[in-house]
Every structure is written in C-alpha cells, then in structure tokens.
Amino acid sequence: MPELDLPQRQATDTRMLTGFWYRALPAERVHRNQLRKATLLEIPLVIGRDRQGQPFALRDSCPHRGMPLNSGKFDGENLECPYHGWQFDVHNGQCQLIPSLTSDQTMKVDRIYAGSYPCEEQDDFIWVYIPDPGLPGAGFSKPAQACEPAPTIEKFSEKYKLAYLQAEMPVSIDHGIIGLMDPAHGPFVHQAWWWRSRHSIHEKKKNFEPIPKGFRMAAHTPSSNSAPYKLLRFYADADSISTTIDFVLPNIRTEIIRAGKYWFSSLTTVTPIARNHCRIDVVAAWNLFRWVPFVPGVLKFVFGKFVEQDRRTMEMQAEGLKHNPHLMLIDDADRPAKWYFQLKAAYLESKATGQPMKHPMSGPITLRWRS
Ligand code: FES
Ligand SMILES: [Fe+2]
C-alpha cells in the first residue's frame, strides 16, 4: 500500500544511551588537586585532576554508606571520604585504606571499589565514558574499560584556534537532539538583522547517506546562511567551498567546512544530564583569520547568538512538553529526526539481542525542504 501523506506520530522517550563517551566539563574548570561536581545521565560524578594534571571521574557516592565524595579530602592521588575516612585511588576507585580496621582484622580492603569511569581530556573538554549498567554487586567491581577513545575534532593543519560554547536546556535528550538536527526552524528562530530574515527562506535539496551509527549530509556547497561559510567567502570561490555534516549516536553532530588550505571544523554534542535536562556544547576549531585578533570573538558572538536562540526556544517548548504531547514528524524536514529515533531503537535492540546493529537507512537518499 502506498504511504499516506500524513505526518507520522512519534513519542519521545527519556532513555539515555549508555556505552558512550560524554562531555562532562570544560577542561579549564578542572584544576590540579581539586574536585568538581558533574552529572551525566543522572549519575552524580566527582571530577578532578591528580597531581600530574591527569583528569579522573568517580561516582560521587562512597561505596560504604553513600556519602558524596566531592566534599572529601584529596591529596592529589587518593580521595578520602569525609564520613569514615575510607581512601580511594582516584584513577580506578580502588580502596586503599579503611581507618577503623584493627591490625588483626584482615578484611581485603583492595577488593572494594568506588565507582570509577574512564576519563579523557580532548579538545578543551573532560570526557567521561558511561558504560552499560554493570552486574549487581557494585562496590566490588573494577572500573569498566572504554572500547574506543573519546571523540576528537578533526583538524587539517597543525596550527588552529579552538573555542567552545555551552547552554543548558530544560528538555529531554531527544528534544535536544532533534532540535539540533532540525533544518526547518532556521528562518523562524535564527533571525537577526545582520543575519537573515524569514523572507530568505528557499528550497533546499541535500543528499544523505548512512554511516556507522548515524547519517551524513554528503559534501556540498554550504548554505549561504552558514556563519563559517560567510567567513570563508573572503578566502575562496563559493564553489570551491564544501561542507560535510554528520550525526552519530548517541549525540554528536560534526561539521567540516573546507576551502583549499582553510578549514573550519566543529563537534557539537547534546549531553543528557537528567531526564528533562540536557546541555549543548559546541566546540569549534579553525585555521581562518588566526592572526586577526577579533575573529574568535566574532565567531563566538555569532554562534553564541544561535545557541542562545535555540536555548530560549527550547525553554518555551519545555512549557508545552509538560503536557506530554505526541510529536508529529513530517517529510522531508523531519526525516533526520525520524532517523535519530530509528537509530536509537536499533542500537537498543542490538544491545538487547547481542546482534549487530541494523541500520535503518537502506542507502543514499535526497531530501528536500524549504528553510
Ligand atoms: S560513607 Fe564513606 S567512609 Fe563511610
Ligand atoms: Fe538552531
């Protein structure tokens, strides 16, 4: 039967995907010998740096009686719980000392672990790997290993600039992500006299293809409304500029724009903090105008405006979402959102069955919309 031309109804869920790296904190906020709190996927974390500057992430809960460890004493190597003074190695969570034990009490202290997570510093952020929930018996399990390193921004020259922006949004991860991948809100949300008006709306046609755990908008000349594109036009002919945009689970959008030896590359994530709370982090690297002092400021201003417009929109949307509406997803503008839900479902299914993940897209496809 031919598909009816009706919008598809879709309910979001608040499931947050484990088995991935997530951005926890900007690296500059975490100092040597200090502790910071963070939350990822509703897991309370204490994050810090050891004496050598190496970052670490522990569950912010003592395996003894649940005391938050963030107010404990940290000597740059071990963290001491403020309640009964148990000490833990910050890099693997292994218990080092239980002060209440007498010399003839032979409890195996080193078999006890505080929850500990793989932790890496990458492109100005501290990333934490959130493994699938482990076997019960927490307190005696060693930390999980990440199967791959934390994601990095692709760079195309040795020298570059790097900057980041963040915004908190009172919506679930699903809304955060489909908002990020949504091509149709631009003319309505991102208006500014120096940018574009809603009258600049025009028809677009883009080719998409499946990639592992995600999809790619194939290399094309970027939209004349894109900020880096406007800058790159100073350097290169319009048709020598190309951009590729990827989305991959659980939450990563990358955009790479190239024009000869010049490039702009960004890695944006939407991180689930709690069921109805996520945070967007945009980190960009580029080698344009490296010697012109005000350009990072201009880029930060432009991106900052966009992110703020998105944040404000989602804050308003969150009001409507309190009443738990279903969503309507229409073709073709909401197709990326449909793919996101299908990818998420396919990932969860492959976890449940142990079978390889079945990609929801059968091959390349062209989408058309106005924006
Ligand atoms: S609660 Fe941490 S040592 Fe007792
Ligand atoms: Fe937006």
Side-chain angles (χ1 to χ4, degrees):
M1 207 171 81
E3 217 181 275
L4 285 177
D5 226 5
L6 275 176
Q8 187 181 315
R9 307 217 79 182
Q10 167 90 49
T12 51
D13 60 62
T14 49
R15 271 179 300 179
M16 303 179 273
L17 299 181
T18 53
F20 289 106
W21 286 94
Y22 288 98
R23 275 181 175 139
L25 285 171
E28 63 183 6
R29 287 193 211 152
V30 187
H31 304 287
R32 252 168 229 241
N33 302 340
Q34 275 183 15
L35 304 172
R36 294 286 309 233
K37 286 203 285 178
T39 307
L40 288 176
L41 289 73
E42 291 185 334
I43 301 169
L45 298 171
V46 52
I47 291 179
R49 284 183 195 278
D50 66 15
R51 213 172 277 145
Q52 278 78 41
Q54 277 303 315
F56 61 85
L58 294 174
R59 195 179 182 98
D60 194 11
S61 171
C62 180
H64 180 214
R65 297 244 294 277
M67 186 75 172
L69 293 170
N70 72 76
S71 53
K73 240 202 233 128
F74 177 45
D75 64 3
E77 193 176 339
N78 293 323
L79 176 47
E80 182 185 278
C81 177
Y83 202 171
H84 311 95
W86 292 21
Q87 284 183 17
F88 305 96
D89 177 320
V90 290
H91 286 295
N92 59 15
Q94 190 173 42
C95 187
Q96 307 295 310
L97 177 78
I98 297 183
S100 65
L101 292 177
T102 61
S103 58
D104 58 334
Q105 289 170 342
T106 55
M107 209 180 110
K108 290 204 168 60
V109 167
D110 58 357
R111 295 202 24 213
I112 296 172
Y113 286 86
S116 162
Y117 298 85
C119 185
E120 276 181 26
E121 185 164 354
Q122 205 64 264
D123 299 322
D124 284 357
F125 264 82
I126 307 285
W127 292 73
V128 174
Y129 181 81
I130 304 294
D132 295 328
L135 299 169
F140 300 102
S141 40
K142 294 186 183 174
Q145 301 292 320
C147 42
E148 54 197 12
T152 50
I153 300 183
E154 211 176 328
K155 303 166 194 93
F156 304 91
S157 57
E158 242 164 59
K159 294 195 170 156
Y160 55 84
K161 291 259 182 204
L162 198 68
Y164 75 88
L165 272 173
Q166 27 180 218
E168 310 244 339
M169 298 182 295
V171 293
S172 71
I173 180 68
D174 282 0
H175 283 289
I177 285 184
I178 63 180
L180 176 75
M181 301 306 296
D182 168 16
H185 71 285
F188 304 95
V189 171
H190 300 302
Q191 290 176 29
W193 62 265
W194 42 268
W195 194 251
R196 64 175 301 180
S197 74
R198 59 192 291 166
H199 304 297
S200 63
I201 192 165
H202 60 279
E203 189 161 322
K204 304 217 171 113
K205 191 169 133 186
K206 299 278 153 64
N207 299 320
F208 289 81
E209 62 202 34
I211 55 175
K213 293 199 186 98
F215 52 89
R216 167 169 297 166
M217 190 193 283
H220 61 280
T221 306
S223 156
S224 49
N225 287 320
S226 116
Y229 173 82
K230 287 187 174 176
L231 284 176
L232 274 159
R233 283 285 286 113
F234 286 104
Y235 285 106
D237 287 341
D239 43 330
S240 76
I241 305 177
S242 86
T243 181
T244 310
I245 300 174
D246 287 356
F247 172 81
V248 289
L249 285 181
N251 66 345
I252 296 177
R253 178 192 191 271
T254 56
E255 177 166 9
I256 293 168
I257 307 183
R258 303 199 65 173
K261 61 181 181 155
Y262 296 105
W263 56 272
F264 174 95
S265 184
S266 65
L267 194 156
T268 300
T269 49
V270 182
T271 301
I273 308 293
R275 257 150 236 287
N276 282 308
H277 183 186
C278 60
R279 189 191 64 232
I280 182 164
D281 298 308
V282 184
V283 185
W286 66 89
N287 73 339
L288 308 155
F289 297 109
R290 268 195 310 110
W291 53 93
V292 187
F294 60 86
V295 166
V298 170
L299 271 177
K300 240 185 146 150
F301 172 80
V302 170
F303 275 91
K305 268 273 187 296
F306 285 171
V307 170
E308 174 54 19
Q309 288 164 336
D310 283 327
R311 194 197 59 76
R312 230 182 317 128
T313 304
M314 289 196 190
E315 205 170 75
M316 293 190 287
Q317 187 191 14
E319 282 302 307
L321 293 175
K322 281 182 188 160
H323 311 287
N324 238 347
H326 274 246
L327 314 179
M328 258 185 213
L329 298 178
I330 67 164
D331 284 329
D332 286 350
D334 293 329
R335 193 71 75 83
K338 291 186 187 179
W339 290 333
Y340 164 69
F341 285 115
Q342 291 164 352
L343 283 164
K344 187 175 174 183
Y347 177 79
L348 288 167
E349 162 141 350
S350 95
K351 284 260 155 150
T353 59
Q355 297 295 308
M357 180 171 158
K358 267 199 237 107
H359 202 291
M361 294 168 74
S362 54
I365 180 170
T366 303
L367 301 187
R368 296 165 61 231
W369 69 86
R370 282 165 51 80
S371 68

